[in-house]
Amino acid sequence: MSCFTSEDEAQLQSMLRQLLQSVKEKITGAPSVECAEEILLHLEETDENFHNYEFVKYLRKCINSTVGSVIEEEIEKCISAQSQGEVSGYDMLVQHVTKKTRESKEYREMMHALKNVMMVVVESLINKFEEDQMHNKELDIKPKKERRSGYYTDNCSDSDSSFNRSYTFLSQEQLQLLVERLDPIQPMEVRQEALQTLCFAPPSDILNSETWPDLRKHLTTSLSDPDTAFSEKILRFYAKAFSSSPFNMTRDVYTSLARHLELYFLSGEYSLRISAGLDVSNPHIDRLLKKVRLLNEYQKEAPSSWIRHPEKYMEEVVDSTFSLLSVNHEPNHPASPDFLSPVYFLALLDIKAVWFKKWMHAYYSRAVVLRLLEKKYKSLINAAVQQCLDYFESCKAGVNKNSSVSDFSHQHCSDEQNFSYAGQELQYVYFVHSLCLLGRLLVYKQGQNLFPVELKNKKDRVSVTDLLVLFTQLIYYSPSYPKTALAGHTDSYSPTSLVMEILQVFCDQTGCAAECLYTDAVIDALLHPVQSVLSGTEVYLNCLETTLIDVADILARIAAVDDGLSFFLHGENEKTAKEDGPTAVHVIVQFTKKLLHDDISLLSGSELLPVVKGAFIFVCRQMYRTCEGLQMLIPYGLHESMGEAWKKMSLLSERVPTPVTGVDSISSISLESKNSLLWEETLLDALLNFSATPKGLFLLHSTGAMNDCVNFMFSSLSKKLQANEYEEFGNKVIITQMATTPSGAVALQSSGFIKALVTELWALLECGKDDLRITQPQSTPIDPIDQSCQKSFLSLINLLTYPAVFELLSKQDTPNKPVYSFREVPTDIIDIIDRLIILNSEAKIHSLFSYEQSHIFGLRFLNVLCCELNTLLLLESQYKVSQVLLTAQEENVIETSEGPGDFIIDGLSVERNHVLVRINLIGGPRERILPLRVLDKGSNSYPWPMFSSLPLPKCYLAETPRKGEFRQDKDLDKLLSLLKSPEKQSGWAEICRKQFYKVMKARPDIISGTILAELIEKFVSHLSESQLDCYFSTGNDKVQRGGVSFEHK
């Protein structure tokens, strides 16, 4: 490189042209110069022809000739060091050689020479490019002016594409000349020509240049130019910069535009007033809206990129935005209340304050926003709160005068051709914007810390609770839609739907809801319409039905959370709740009972009455799903009211009149029957959910609707009406609860639920569906219970509690047929026992497609059932399962000439051995040893002895420790003394709990079965004597099943 000739320069220029020509499309498609640099830096990763470029070959040749010897020398050093254990690994070798090479003298000399050579080559290319540009300019000087507007339209619009841009790269001298020509003191022709040149340059180059500060001042000033075409060109340049430049550059453009608007609103030439309205078809207003719209678009896009830049950049954007929105006349100015401030224009373009929602989403930006609001711009919050208060007062005044306030949300949205806004419409738009902004602000704890706020026309300060009460009151004081529009009102900008969205977010945010919603003031505001109807006072509401439905929705969301339910039951202060007045649960239940009895005259004849009933029943359902809530609701007899309503509706549905000739009569009867069926299903669903608790199941049985509720549940499951996992899990809990009672088990069987469950299990386990065409054999399962059968297995186990087993199997013999057809599918639990567990004949074995897998499933099923001692005794007394398994083990031996040999060790014999030990030895892990179900590696794969007759081998009996090995324990002595004490002091149960926990934590092995039995007996006896803790009375309860009466004592 020391002798660099002109031929070498020309050759290098040719190499560079080839490289740039190959990557031309990638570079021109880049939105900025920085992106183009990134593309070139990663070209080896994205271009498969990278190593074929002549310029790359030239660089590789320079490296080999200059630092090749250095690399080889370092590699030899590393290899010798690696043999001695000093350097290990290929990656470490590469890193070490690279580091040493870059630190070498040869490398530094090569880089210095390459830089000098490339500077000469690049400068020659740039000079040649400028000469070609000047030559083309001279050839095309005549049509230049005609094409200016066309070029501008194509290349400077905010919707420009990277495929049709024609950029001109400007030097610093040229940019400085542009700054001078764009000075407002220059003639308009000079400024227009300079702006035209500016539009051809890449925005990122302009924003990154040294002349940008001066250029920004001139552009900001020129935005107010009376020549609208000129100012719009600048606005398009701003839009182009926003779309193609990084955030650290565009922030200056944004602050420049925001500052221009702020100065404009503060200037004397701006004189718009709210009372005069706003005509958006006016060219002057249209240009103003375009500027605000450009700001708003940037506000919504900036949060996606500003986290990658210093915080001060983001703070500049936020500060300039809040400074603009805070613009207003001085308080003493005569037109101050009527001033159409910038926030009105922003609200027109972004009515739901999406920009603020995005700014508050991430903590990085939220912290800055809240800090600036607290220190400098709290007036924005004050103005938003004042706007909500003013709108509420106007709504309340209109309702009290029985004249509803104009609903601008519906009026304006329905009129697409309206290009003007009246003063009241502007106020409403600002109100919606303020409501959404405050709703998002209060979601966060730091946002709540900005309250209370002081308002000019209000003596008391407005707290978070006051604001939530205001939001709640807007539900029933704000204008509402007609009843026919109920289904679609949530998609509008009505105050009710907006407030509902805010309150629903609060309910989802449990931490925020606990601090904001769970207050007596907010709940009293929610219950105000309910209490007014209950007390019989005159109700001034726009639409009572829709108000009650919305109130019930929020109440149900609160009651669905444990903290919210506790608040409903006990109030804000548990100690003074009973003294101050009835808690929310009492008001809700009383109102629901009146609804069920049709005892509310204001709602009589309403089409939405069934919907209102269903909404408040759902609120009560959230409360009686827990034992504590159910105990609070029992005195009201809500289950009886629901049962009576269901019986009444059931009788009406049976008396459907015969339709007469005529389409109208048929359609009216059909609609009426559908509504009746829907209301009946709502009642059944509500009654069904009583079974979520043991006491609730008892109450459900007393209503006589048990069988109908189970039939409804099975019908819903069959139709797959469950929408989510939560509802499916709830149904499984209800089924398990029902199976714990005889009447529930009988209802499950009569509904067809058990038959469907057994049929589904058999389809998965054995033959599959009848209509399923088998094209290839099924894969052999690896696990003892295949994954496809696990759900059915767990469902059966949860179903078969001892009461259910007794009802389904008592005094029933197994079929034991001589022949079983392959198409004969089991339909009951007794069939499962006959076909999968008690396989005592060749006919049963030959009827199974997968004998071993199905029998293992049955043995596992039996193994779990026998964990319940009562179930084990019933199975053993009726079916002699132990003897059946012993006989199967006796037959599973190797036949020899001398007679029966050793047991055959396979999956079935191992499973049978485990079940036999479990059902013949009662006790815990210290009283018996259960054999494992797995085989070990080696010759002795199964060390546990098998047997085919009783008694069991002694190895399965655990050694009982001697009495001397037991050590006296003080904590255990204290627990025993508490149990034997005849006088139970106050708090005895809690003392026992703590002492038992202390013993179990210290020495869990010291408590024997006798002590546990005594503890449970004493504890249950104590709970039965306590009225607060007792859920089932000690009297006689009768359960009616069919024509037979069962008595439980």
Side-chain angles (χ1 to χ4, degrees), residues 605-736:
S606 173
E607 296 178 2
L608 295 176
L609 181 58
V611 183
V612 177
K613 290 180 179 180
F616 276 90
I617 287 175
F618 187 74
V619 179
C620 295
R621 171 177 156 181
Q622 299 298 326
M623 292 187 280
Y624 62 67
R625 64 184 172 87
T626 64
C627 295
E628 187 180 12
L630 180 65
Q631 189 70 14
M632 189 78 76
L633 266 62
I634 285 176
Y636 295 94
L638 184 63
H639 62 286
E640 298 174 355
S641 300
M642 288 184 184
E644 292 172 5
W646 166 73
K647 291 175 182 177
K648 180 180 177 181
M649 186 53 59
S650 176
L651 291 174
L652 290 176
S653 62
E654 294 175 359
R655 300 174 183 174
V656 178
T658 304
V660 296
T661 306
V663 180
D664 294 339
S665 60
I666 295 175
S667 61
S668 63
I669 293 174
S670 175
L671 180 61
E672 184 179 352
S673 62
K674 285 182 180 179
N675 293 335
S676 300
L677 178 62
L678 182 61
W679 173 231
E680 185 179 357
E681 290 180 348
T682 302
L683 290 170
L684 286 174
D685 190 29
L687 286 169
L688 178 66
N689 279 271
F690 270 102
S691 58
T693 59
K695 184 67 174 179
L697 183 59
F698 178 77
L699 298 176
L700 172 61
H701 176 73
S702 67
T703 62
M706 173 78 80
N707 292 332
D708 293 271
C709 288
V710 175
N711 289 333
F712 167 72
M713 179 181 65
F714 176 59
S715 175
S716 300
L717 288 171
S718 302
K719 297 175 183 177
K720 302 186 183 298
L721 295 179
Q722 278 62 41
N724 52 46
E725 296 180 0
Y726 176 78
E727 292 184 4
E728 185 178 356
F729 173 77
N731 283 324
K732 290 179 180 178
V733 172
I734 290 173
I735 292 169
T736 305

Side-chain angles (χ1 to χ4, degrees), residues 79-360:
I79 292 174
S80 60
Q82 189 174 7
S83 61
Q84 299 176 4
E86 297 178 6
V87 180
S88 61
Y90 176 78
D91 293 337
M92 293 295 295
L93 174 66
V94 172
Q95 293 178 12
H96 180 77
V97 172
T98 304
K99 180 181 178 183
K100 290 295 182 181
T101 304
R102 296 187 66 176
E103 293 175 354
S104 64
K105 178 182 177 182
E106 291 83 353
Y107 178 81
R108 290 195 297 270
E109 291 177 352
M110 179 192 72
M111 292 300 297
H112 181 69
L114 273 176
K115 286 181 180 179
N116 292 335
V117 169
M118 295 310 299
M119 285 176 63
V120 173
V121 174
V122 171
E123 188 176 355
S124 299
L125 283 174
I126 292 175
N127 291 336
K128 192 170 189 312
F129 173 77
E130 290 180 352
E131 290 176 3
D132 292 342
Q133 287 287 100
M134 292 299 294
H135 180 65
N136 293 335
K137 185 177 180 180
E138 291 175 359
L139 293 176
D140 203 29
I141 191 169
K142 290 184 179 180
K144 177 183 176 183
K145 292 185 179 180
E146 297 176 2
R147 294 200 310 262
R148 272 183 186 170
S149 59
Y151 275 132
Y152 173 76
T153 304
D154 292 341
N155 299 313
C156 297
S157 68
D158 55 351
S159 61
D160 186 25
S161 171
S162 58
F163 294 99
N164 60 6
R165 285 175 181 166
S166 180
Y167 283 145
T168 300
F169 295 94
L170 303 175
S171 63
Q172 288 295 326
E173 292 78 8
Q174 292 172 319
L175 287 173
Q176 185 61 43
L177 182 61
L178 279 179
V179 172
E180 296 175 0
R181 292 183 175 181
L182 282 172
D183 194 317
I185 62 175
Q186 296 289 340
M188 178 54 68
E189 293 183 0
V190 175
R191 293 167 62 199
Q192 285 182 346
E193 186 175 355
L195 182 60
Q196 185 67 33
T197 306
L198 184 69
C199 289
F200 281 117
S204 56
D205 287 359
I206 303 297
L207 302 179
N208 203 29
S209 66
E210 298 176 357
T211 59
W212 168 244
D214 296 331
L215 184 60
R216 180 182 59 185
K217 295 178 182 178
H218 296 336
L219 293 177
T220 304
T221 306
S222 299
L223 280 171
S224 303
D225 198 280
D227 188 341
T228 57
F230 184 76
S231 61
E232 285 197 6
K233 288 180 182 179
I234 300 175
L235 202 61
R236 290 186 180 182
F237 173 76
Y238 277 16
K240 193 176 182 181
F242 284 151
S243 62
S244 62
S245 302
F247 174 73
N248 60 324
M249 298 180 183
T250 53
R251 63 184 173 85
D252 282 340
V253 181
Y254 179 88
T255 54
S256 170
L257 183 56
R259 182 58 180 166
H260 156 72
L261 288 172
E262 184 177 351
L263 293 174
Y264 171 73
F265 280 100
L266 290 172
S267 64
E269 61 179 294
Y270 179 78
S271 59
L272 293 178
R273 298 291 176 262
I274 299 173
S275 56
L278 190 69
D279 184 8
V280 296
S281 61
N282 187 315
H284 175 71
I285 304 300
D286 180 59
R287 288 194 300 271
L288 185 58
L289 285 171
K290 284 182 179 179
K291 295 175 183 178
V292 179
R293 176 181 173 272
L294 188 57
L295 281 181
N296 183 243
E297 291 296 326
Y298 185 80
Q299 289 166 358
K300 291 185 284 189
E301 293 296 330
S304 61
S305 59
W306 63 21
I307 194 173
R308 297 190 291 269
H309 299 276
E311 185 179 300
K312 65 177 183 179
Y313 293 171
M314 176 185 61
E315 189 169 348
E316 290 178 14
V317 172
V318 176
D319 186 82
S320 61
T321 302
F322 288 164
S323 179
L324 171 63
L325 297 181
S326 301
V327 170
N328 208 333
H329 276 303
E330 295 296 328
N332 298 327
H333 195 281
S336 179
D338 200 27
F339 179 69
L340 189 62
S341 61
V343 70
Y344 284 87
F345 291 89
L346 182 61
L348 281 171
L349 298 168
D350 188 2
I351 189 170
K352 285 195 173 183
V354 176
W355 66 274
F356 189 76
K357 181 180 179 181
K358 292 189 174 185
W359 284 17
M360 295 288 287

Side-chain angles (χ1 to χ4, degrees), residues 391-405:
Y391 181 79
F392 169 72
E393 292 297 334
S394 64
C395 290
K396 190 174 181 181
V399 169
N400 290 336
K401 294 178 182 178
N402 292 326
S403 59
S404 68
V405 181

Side-chain angles (χ1 to χ4, degrees), residues 100 140 180 226 296 336 351 490 502 570 639 641 650 673 692 802 830 833 862 868 875 903 944 1049:
K100 290 295 182 181
D140 203 29
E180 296 175 0
N296 183 243
S336 179
I351 189 170
T490 53
I502 293 172
H570 307 293
H639 62 286
S641 300
S650 176
S673 62
Y802 174 68
I830 188 66
I833 294 176
L862 174 64
E868 167 67 50
L875 294 176
F903 289 97
W944 305 96
K1049 297 183 178 179

